Amino acid sequence: MKIFSEISAIVSDYSVNNVTPDRVEGWISQFDRSIQGAILNVTKSFLEKGYVSRNKLIYSIENIVRSEKICGRDLSRFWSQVSILNVQQDGNSQVELADLLAFYVKKYTNINLPVNEFEKGILFYIDDFMFTGGRLRSDLSGLNEMLERKKTVIVLYMSVCSSAAWQYNSKWKGQWGNLDIVKAKRVMPALENRLSEKNFSDKFWMHSDSMSSGKLSNYIENFQRFNPSTLRNLHCGTKFFPNAVERFNSEIALCEAGIDIIERHGTVKPSLKPMGYDGYDGFGFGGTMLSYRNCPNNLPLAYWWSLGEWLPLFERKVYER
């Protein structure tokens, strides 16, 4: 089918496994034939908007390195005052992205950016995605306590979720007295995931009508704190999901597959839900953002689960603690 090749082409530089047309076909064959077309269309749609290729990231980083709005007219003078931050406790995303930033600073200014040189006046924080903002909050809180005088911090993400951006701007930003936060540009627009905008969200978000599935209704009975009012209650197209009917049917199929995966595996962490990692009671986060580097575990399990007999579309790199 043509769509196998179209999905493969969108993620052609995914680095963990080769997502060939045959891989797409093998993955989708695990679903009932009647729903395969809808899932493929929905998958293609969100990948077109939520996948960050290496070329897209490099284009954005190059623009930031040369941005007059950020750097002024004298690039060398600006970057000579900068140190890259490498302060994350887990994962490799910051290291890998910082290396890319340093490469293009060197290319355009011949300056070797230092790492964690805190006496510099400007500190550059770079990472891939901000979903809840918890990691950024922890990293910057620790940095704020360590610094003896105020520093400018530039923050760059591939993309952020709108709820995390709201928390950052309204609740956290003023807590760091030694940090003057300057928000740089993102590679992609923010992903809408606020509860108040649930019907227009850019992530998989279960609909109240999906409770007609016995498998879903039985699963959610295990969560005493689950609030049914958090479910979507309108059927409407969005930027990531232009076809509301295909989205609705695909969400049920993906969630049912995730429940089957959990039941077959047996013991999983309570935060591992059928629609992806999430600390809240419910079906899971339902993420739709990933990059050439890796697939976050907050996408529906059916996209990335690799234990047992399930064939994932995207295999994951798991960081070492």
Side-chain angles (χ1 to χ4, degrees):
M1 291 178 64
K2 181 181 178 183
I3 196 167
F4 297 159
S5 298
E6 292 172 338
I7 291 174
S8 176
I10 295 170
V11 296
S12 60
D13 66 345
Y14 186 67
S15 63
V16 188
N17 66 285
N18 192 7
V19 186
T20 64
D22 287 344
R23 180 64 171 246
V24 179
E25 183 178 12
W27 171 73
I28 196 62
S29 69
Q30 299 168 114
F31 296 90
D32 187 89
R33 186 178 294 274
S34 64
I35 195 62
Q36 290 178 10
I39 294 175
L40 288 168
N41 290 336
V42 165
T43 300
K44 177 188 173 186
S45 178
F46 88 74
L47 288 176
E48 286 175 331
K49 301 166 184 67
Y51 180 75
V52 179
S53 67
R54 191 172 191 274
N55 285 340
K56 186 182 291 186
L57 176 63
I58 287 173
Y59 176 79
S60 181
I61 287 178
E62 282 195 276
N63 283 340
I64 286 170
V65 168
R66 298 177 293 172
S67 169
E68 186 173 321
K69 183 177 180 180
I70 295 174
C71 310
R73 295 184 178 181
D74 190 337
L75 295 184
S76 295
R77 182 177 181 276
F78 173 81
W79 288 108
S80 66
Q81 304 173 66
V82 174
S83 173
I84 300 174
L85 286 173
N86 180 16
V87 293
Q88 284 183 349
Q89 300 299 312
D90 298 313
N92 298 313
S93 58
Q94 194 164 69
V95 175
E96 295 174 20
L97 295 173
D99 286 345
L100 273 178
L101 178 66
F103 176 85
Y104 286 100
V105 170
K106 175 72 172 178
K107 175 181 177 180
Y108 289 108
T109 68
N110 203 35
I111 291 172
N112 293 311
L113 278 186
V115 177
N116 290 347
E117 198 168 292
F118 299 115
E119 61 269 23
K120 292 283 188 178
I122 302 172
L123 306 175
F124 207 106
Y125 185 101
I126 184 171
D127 203 3
D128 47 14
F129 299 113
M130 181 166 70
F131 296 113
T132 65
R135 174 175 284 182
L136 175 69
R137 185 183 186 187
S138 174
D139 291 344
L140 294 189
S141 294
L143 180 65
N144 181 68
E145 292 175 4
M146 182 183 64
L147 295 175
E148 296 180 355
R149 59 189 181 88
K150 196 162 190 173
K151 303 285 184 178
T152 296
V153 178
I154 296 176
V155 177
L156 170 65
Y157 277 97
M158 293 188 197
S159 189
V160 302
C161 288
S162 57
S163 61
W166 180 84
Q167 293 272 6
Y168 164 80
N169 288 317
S170 64
K171 293 188 176 182
W172 304 337
K173 195 173 179 180
Q175 295 178 359
W176 304 308
N178 285 330
L179 306 180
D180 181 17
I181 309 295
V182 178
K183 184 170 64 175
K185 61 194 296 186
R186 299 182 296 267
V187 176
M188 302 186 305
L191 180 141
E192 181 57 71
N193 77 321
R194 290 171 294 175
L195 178 60
S196 62
E197 300 296 324
K198 62 186 180 183
N199 289 306
F200 311 100
S201 64
D202 295 323
K203 71 184 187 75
F204 292 106
W205 196 311
M206 303 309 296
H207 196 285
S208 57
D209 292 344
S210 64
M211 294 302 98
S212 61
S213 164
K215 187 171 291 188
L216 270 64
S217 59
N218 289 337
Y219 171 83
I220 207 63
E221 287 179 358
N222 297 317
F223 298 96
Q224 296 180 352
R225 293 181 300 170
F226 173 70
N227 185 351
S229 68
T230 60
L231 296 170
R232 291 192 299 121
N233 52 26
L234 295 178
H235 291 284
C236 52
T238 68
K239 180 177 63 176
F240 273 50
F241 304 107
N243 188 314
V245 174
E246 289 190 333
R247 174 193 186 171
F248 171 74
N249 291 328
S250 295
E251 284 176 337
I252 293 176
L254 290 167
C255 193
E256 289 180 339
I259 293 171
D260 288 342
I261 288 170
I262 291 172
E263 290 178 347
R264 284 197 298 266
H265 188 70
T267 303
V268 297
K269 295 179 179 179
S271 53
L272 199 59
K273 311 293 198 314
M275 297 301 276
Y277 183 93
D278 195 358
Y280 293 100
D281 281 0
F283 293 102
F285 188 81
T288 51
M289 294 192 298
L290 66 157
S291 78
Y292 73 95
R293 293 186 53 261
N294 204 7
C295 175
N297 63 3
N298 62 19
L299 265 71
L301 266 61
Y303 284 106
W304 58 266
W305 187 265
S306 60
L307 297 179
E309 299 179 356
W310 186 261
L311 176 70
L313 185 60
F314 303 105
E315 296 176 19
R316 293 188 68 244
K317 288 185 292 187
V318 180
Y319 63 76
E320 297 180 0
R321 290 185 180 274

